[in-house]
Tab-separated table of all heavy atoms in Angstrom:
chain	number	residue	atom	x	y	z
A	877	VAL	N	15.486	-10.354	-5.072
A	877	VAL	CA	15.090	-10.758	-6.408
A	877	VAL	C	13.599	-11.022	-6.540
A	877	VAL	O	13.034	-10.822	-7.590
A	877	VAL	CB	15.882	-12.007	-6.869
A	877	VAL	CG1	17.325	-11.657	-7.094
A	877	VAL	CG2	15.744	-13.150	-5.893
A	878	ALA	N	12.952	-11.472	-5.498
A	878	ALA	CA	11.531	-11.795	-5.570
A	878	ALA	C	10.694	-10.515	-5.533
A	878	ALA	O	11.041	-9.571	-4.841
A	878	ALA	CB	11.143	-12.701	-4.398
A	879	PRO	N	9.592	-10.481	-6.274
A	879	PRO	CA	8.722	-9.297	-6.252
A	879	PRO	C	7.847	-9.297	-4.993
A	879	PRO	O	6.650	-9.533	-5.047
A	879	PRO	CB	7.891	-9.453	-7.529
A	879	PRO	CG	7.839	-10.921	-7.749
A	879	PRO	CD	9.148	-11.474	-7.248
A	880	LEU	N	8.457	-9.052	-3.869
A	880	LEU	CA	7.742	-9.050	-2.599
A	880	LEU	C	7.002	-7.734	-2.403
A	880	LEU	O	7.275	-6.757	-3.093
A	880	LEU	CB	8.729	-9.286	-1.452
A	880	LEU	CG	9.440	-10.642	-1.509
A	880	LEU	CD1	10.501	-10.718	-0.440
A	880	LEU	CD2	8.444	-11.778	-1.365
A	881	PRO	N	6.091	-7.724	-1.454
A	881	PRO	CA	5.304	-6.493	-1.247
A	881	PRO	C	6.150	-5.292	-0.840
A	881	PRO	O	7.154	-5.421	-0.159
A	881	PRO	CB	4.372	-6.876	-0.095
A	881	PRO	CG	4.368	-8.351	-0.041
A	881	PRO	CD	5.685	-8.802	-0.574
A	882	TRP	N	5.688	-4.153	-1.291
A	882	TRP	CA	6.231	-2.863	-0.878
A	882	TRP	C	5.156	-2.181	-0.056
A	882	TRP	O	3.975	-2.261	-0.370
A	882	TRP	CB	6.552	-1.993	-2.085
A	882	TRP	CG	7.808	-2.392	-2.793
A	882	TRP	CD1	7.968	-3.443	-3.638
A	882	TRP	CD2	9.068	-1.734	-2.726
A	882	TRP	NE1	9.258	-3.486	-4.097
A	882	TRP	CE2	9.951	-2.446	-3.558
A	882	TRP	CE3	9.530	-0.614	-2.049
A	882	TRP	CZ2	11.271	-2.075	-3.719
A	882	TRP	CZ3	10.851	-0.234	-2.215
A	882	TRP	CH2	11.703	-0.961	-3.051
A	883	LYS	N	5.566	-1.506	1.003
A	883	LYS	CA	4.631	-0.756	1.836
A	883	LYS	C	4.956	0.714	1.710
A	883	LYS	O	6.110	1.095	1.548
A	883	LYS	CB	4.736	-1.186	3.298
A	883	LYS	CG	4.275	-2.614	3.526
A	883	LYS	CD	4.344	-2.967	5.001
A	883	LYS	CE	3.897	-4.382	5.207
A	883	LYS	NZ	2.511	-4.479	5.564
A	884	GLY	N	3.925	1.529	1.794
A	884	GLY	CA	4.125	2.962	1.716
A	884	GLY	C	3.160	3.686	2.622
A	884	GLY	O	2.125	3.140	3.003
A	885	ALA	N	3.492	4.907	2.986
A	885	ALA	CA	2.617	5.723	3.826
A	885	ALA	C	2.753	7.179	3.428
A	885	ALA	O	3.820	7.618	2.994
A	885	ALA	CB	2.974	5.544	5.299
A	886	VAL	N	1.657	7.907	3.585
A	886	VAL	CA	1.636	9.337	3.327
A	886	VAL	C	0.927	10.002	4.494
A	886	VAL	O	-0.185	9.603	4.859
A	886	VAL	CB	0.895	9.672	2.013
A	886	VAL	CG1	0.774	11.174	1.819
A	886	VAL	CG2	1.577	9.023	0.826
A	887	LEU	N	1.574	10.998	5.099
A	887	LEU	CA	0.972	11.771	6.178
A	887	LEU	C	0.307	12.993	5.572
A	887	LEU	O	0.939	13.778	4.864
A	887	LEU	CB	2.046	12.206	7.179
A	887	LEU	CG	1.584	13.094	8.327
A	887	LEU	CD1	0.571	12.357	9.204
A	887	LEU	CD2	2.774	13.533	9.159
A	888	ALA	N	-0.986	13.136	5.824
A	888	ALA	CA	-1.758	14.279	5.351
A	888	ALA	C	-2.412	14.945	6.560
A	888	ALA	O	-2.502	14.334	7.624
A	888	ALA	CB	-2.818	13.801	4.359
A	889	PRO	N	-2.869	16.171	6.418
A	889	PRO	CA	-3.498	16.843	7.563
A	889	PRO	C	-4.663	16.060	8.165
A	889	PRO	O	-4.897	16.104	9.370
A	889	PRO	CB	-3.982	18.171	6.976
A	889	PRO	CG	-3.101	18.412	5.807
A	889	PRO	CD	-2.771	17.049	5.257
A	890	GLU	N	-5.370	15.307	7.348
A	890	GLU	CA	-6.538	14.572	7.833
A	890	GLU	C	-6.221	13.181	8.371
A	890	GLU	O	-7.085	12.500	8.915
A	890	GLU	CB	-7.611	14.481	6.746
A	890	GLU	CG	-7.204	13.685	5.510
A	890	GLU	CD	-6.441	14.483	4.455
A	890	GLU	OE1	-6.021	15.627	4.705
A	890	GLU	OE2	-6.241	13.933	3.366
A	891	GLY	N	-4.985	12.710	8.237
A	891	GLY	CA	-4.616	11.394	8.748
A	891	GLY	C	-3.487	10.776	7.951
A	891	GLY	O	-2.724	11.469	7.280
A	892	VAL	N	-3.401	9.454	8.020
A	892	VAL	CA	-2.339	8.721	7.327
A	892	VAL	C	-2.974	7.765	6.316
A	892	VAL	O	-3.904	7.027	6.644
A	892	VAL	CB	-1.475	7.919	8.330
A	892	VAL	CG1	-0.506	7.006	7.600
A	892	VAL	CG2	-0.714	8.868	9.251
A	893	TYR	N	-2.455	7.824	5.112
A	893	TYR	CA	-2.835	6.877	4.065
A	893	TYR	C	-1.698	5.871	3.982
A	893	TYR	O	-0.538	6.263	3.911
A	893	TYR	CB	-2.976	7.582	2.720
A	893	TYR	CG	-4.076	8.609	2.676
A	893	TYR	CD1	-3.849	9.919	3.094
A	893	TYR	CD2	-5.341	8.265	2.216
A	893	TYR	CE1	-4.862	10.871	3.052
A	893	TYR	CE2	-6.359	9.207	2.172
A	893	TYR	CZ	-6.112	10.510	2.592
A	893	TYR	OH	-7.111	11.442	2.553
A	894	ASP	N	-2.015	4.592	4.021
A	894	ASP	CA	-0.949	3.615	3.816
A	894	ASP	C	-1.440	2.534	2.879
A	894	ASP	O	-2.631	2.368	2.639
A	894	ASP	CB	-0.382	3.062	5.126
A	894	ASP	CG	-1.194	1.968	5.773
A	894	ASP	OD1	-2.266	1.596	5.257
A	894	ASP	OD2	-0.765	1.455	6.809
A	895	GLY	N	-0.485	1.847	2.300
A	895	GLY	CA	-0.847	0.836	1.333
A	895	GLY	C	0.251	-0.182	1.148
A	895	GLY	O	1.368	-0.029	1.643
A	896	GLU	N	-0.119	-1.230	0.452
A	896	GLU	CA	0.824	-2.299	0.143
A	896	GLU	C	0.568	-2.736	-1.284
A	896	GLU	O	-0.571	-2.889	-1.710
A	896	GLU	CB	0.615	-3.477	1.096
A	896	GLU	CG	1.595	-4.600	0.878
A	896	GLU	CD	1.427	-5.707	1.907
A	896	GLU	OE1	1.540	-5.423	3.106
A	896	GLU	OE2	1.181	-6.845	1.485
A	897	ILE	N	1.653	-2.907	-2.028
A	897	ILE	CA	1.547	-3.339	-3.413
A	897	ILE	C	2.585	-4.429	-3.669
A	897	ILE	O	3.694	-4.379	-3.150
A	897	ILE	CB	1.745	-2.157	-4.380
A	897	ILE	CG1	1.475	-2.588	-5.815
A	897	ILE	CG2	3.124	-1.536	-4.218
A	897	ILE	CD1	1.374	-1.433	-6.790
A	898	THR	N	2.196	-5.428	-4.437
A	898	THR	CA	3.105	-6.491	-4.831
A	898	THR	C	3.302	-6.390	-6.344
A	898	THR	O	2.335	-6.562	-7.101
A	898	THR	CB	2.546	-7.879	-4.459
A	898	THR	OG1	2.307	-7.918	-3.066
A	898	THR	CG2	3.517	-8.992	-4.848
A	899	PRO	N	4.509	-6.072	-6.776
A	899	PRO	CA	4.755	-5.958	-8.215
A	899	PRO	C	4.408	-7.251	-8.954
A	899	PRO	O	4.596	-8.351	-8.431
A	899	PRO	CB	6.259	-5.673	-8.303
A	899	PRO	CG	6.616	-5.123	-6.968
A	899	PRO	CD	5.692	-5.790	-5.986
A	900	PHE	N	3.889	-7.112	-10.144
A	900	PHE	CA	3.558	-8.231	-11.036
A	900	PHE	C	2.446	-9.119	-10.479
A	900	PHE	O	2.250	-10.233	-10.955
A	900	PHE	CB	4.791	-9.085	-11.357
A	900	PHE	CG	5.978	-8.277	-11.765
A	900	PHE	CD1	7.098	-8.224	-10.965
A	900	PHE	CD2	5.970	-7.543	-12.949
A	900	PHE	CE1	8.200	-7.465	-11.321
A	900	PHE	CE2	7.060	-6.778	-13.319
A	900	PHE	CZ	8.184	-6.732	-12.510
A	901	SER	N	1.719	-8.658	-9.492
A	901	SER	CA	0.623	-9.442	-8.918
A	901	SER	C	-0.690	-9.029	-9.571
A	901	SER	O	-0.864	-7.880	-9.962
A	901	SER	CB	0.540	-9.205	-7.416
A	901	SER	OG	-0.614	-9.826	-6.898
A	902	ARG	N	-1.610	-9.966	-9.652
A	902	ARG	CA	-2.933	-9.660	-10.184
A	902	ARG	C	-3.833	-9.028	-9.121
A	902	ARG	O	-4.879	-8.505	-9.432
A	902	ARG	CB	-3.586	-10.924	-10.714
A	902	ARG	CG	-2.892	-11.472	-11.932
A	902	ARG	CD	-3.571	-12.739	-12.411
A	902	ARG	NE	-2.763	-13.406	-13.398
A	902	ARG	CZ	-3.096	-13.477	-14.676
A	902	ARG	NH1	-4.211	-12.934	-15.093
A	902	ARG	NH2	-2.307	-14.086	-15.522
A	903	GLN	N	-3.392	-9.097	-7.860
A	903	GLN	CA	-4.176	-8.504	-6.785
A	903	GLN	C	-4.052	-6.988	-6.818
A	903	GLN	O	-2.984	-6.443	-7.096
A	903	GLN	CB	-3.708	-9.008	-5.427
A	903	GLN	CG	-3.967	-10.470	-5.210
A	903	GLN	CD	-3.496	-10.911	-3.823
A	903	GLN	OE1	-2.706	-10.228	-3.187
A	903	GLN	NE2	-3.992	-12.033	-3.376
A	904	LYS	N	-5.160	-6.326	-6.519
A	904	LYS	CA	-5.139	-4.870	-6.445
A	904	LYS	C	-4.399	-4.452	-5.182
A	904	LYS	O	-4.382	-5.181	-4.195
A	904	LYS	CB	-6.558	-4.326	-6.411
A	904	LYS	CG	-7.300	-4.532	-7.712
A	904	LYS	CD	-8.645	-3.875	-7.669
A	904	LYS	CE	-9.320	-4.078	-9.013
A	904	LYS	NZ	-10.573	-3.347	-9.089
A	905	PRO	N	-3.796	-3.276	-5.209
A	905	PRO	CA	-3.107	-2.788	-4.003
A	905	PRO	C	-4.082	-2.678	-2.827
A	905	PRO	O	-5.257	-2.353	-3.015
A	905	PRO	CB	-2.605	-1.403	-4.409
A	905	PRO	CG	-2.601	-1.405	-5.890
A	905	PRO	CD	-3.682	-2.340	-6.323
A	906	VAL	N	-3.589	-2.958	-1.643
A	906	VAL	CA	-4.383	-2.811	-0.430
A	906	VAL	C	-4.096	-1.417	0.110
A	906	VAL	O	-2.958	-1.101	0.453
A	906	VAL	CB	-3.988	-3.889	0.618
A	906	VAL	CG1	-4.761	-3.679	1.905
A	906	VAL	CG2	-4.211	-5.277	0.059
A	907	LEU	N	-5.115	-0.576	0.163
A	907	LEU	CA	-4.963	0.792	0.629
A	907	LEU	C	-5.857	1.023	1.841
A	907	LEU	O	-6.982	0.554	1.877
A	907	LEU	CB	-5.333	1.779	-0.479
A	907	LEU	CG	-4.549	1.637	-1.783
A	907	LEU	CD1	-5.145	2.529	-2.858
A	907	LEU	CD2	-3.090	1.958	-1.564
A	908	ARG	N	-5.340	1.747	2.836
A	908	ARG	CA	-6.097	2.052	4.048
A	908	ARG	C	-5.925	3.527	4.399
A	908	ARG	O	-4.886	4.114	4.118
A	908	ARG	CB	-5.591	1.220	5.223
A	908	ARG	CG	-5.923	-0.240	5.130
A	908	ARG	CD	-5.346	-0.996	6.335
A	908	ARG	NE	-4.825	-2.267	5.932
A	908	ARG	CZ	-3.587	-2.523	5.504
A	908	ARG	NH1	-2.696	-1.596	5.462
A	908	ARG	NH2	-3.231	-3.725	5.140
A	909	PHE	N	-6.945	4.075	5.046
A	909	PHE	CA	-6.861	5.437	5.560
A	909	PHE	C	-7.141	5.403	7.053
A	909	PHE	O	-8.104	4.786	7.502
A	909	PHE	CB	-7.866	6.353	4.860
A	909	PHE	CG	-7.931	7.725	5.465
A	909	PHE	CD1	-6.847	8.584	5.380
A	909	PHE	CD2	-9.060	8.139	6.133
A	909	PHE	CE1	-6.893	9.847	5.941
A	909	PHE	CE2	-9.115	9.410	6.703
A	909	PHE	CZ	-8.034	10.258	6.606
A	910	TYR	N	-6.274	6.065	7.824
A	910	TYR	CA	-6.434	6.172	9.270
A	910	TYR	C	-6.601	7.645	9.611
A	910	TYR	O	-5.630	8.404	9.593
A	910	TYR	CB	-5.219	5.572	9.998
A	910	TYR	CG	-5.051	4.117	9.667
A	910	TYR	CD1	-4.114	3.709	8.719
A	910	TYR	CD2	-5.835	3.162	10.266
A	910	TYR	CE1	-3.976	2.374	8.396
A	910	TYR	CE2	-5.701	1.817	9.946
A	910	TYR	CZ	-4.771	1.435	9.003
A	910	TYR	OH	-4.634	0.118	8.672
A	911	PRO	N	-7.850	8.075	9.880
A	911	PRO	CA	-8.080	9.491	10.161
A	911	PRO	C	-7.513	9.895	11.512
A	911	PRO	O	-7.392	9.080	12.427
A	911	PRO	CB	-9.603	9.611	10.152
A	911	PRO	CG	-10.086	8.243	10.537
A	911	PRO	CD	-9.067	7.282	9.970
């Protein structure tokens, strides 16, 4: 029930993009790239 963080990842030829988002939060999503 709580709007807890969601994590996601995308594999691309140049590396992995991952991020975390908390629904209904004023904070911007935290996104990282690992080449």
Side-chain angles (χ1 to χ4, degrees):
V877 291
L880 298 173
W882 284 77
K883 293 182 180 265
V886 175
L887 177 63
E890 64 275 10
V892 172
Y893 296 86
D894 81 358
E896 183 176 302
I897 186 168
T898 302
F900 312 113
S901 173
R902 293 179 191 250
Q903 293 181 342
K904 292 185 178 186
V906 177
L907 303 172
R908 289 179 219 89
F909 173 67
Y910 300 100

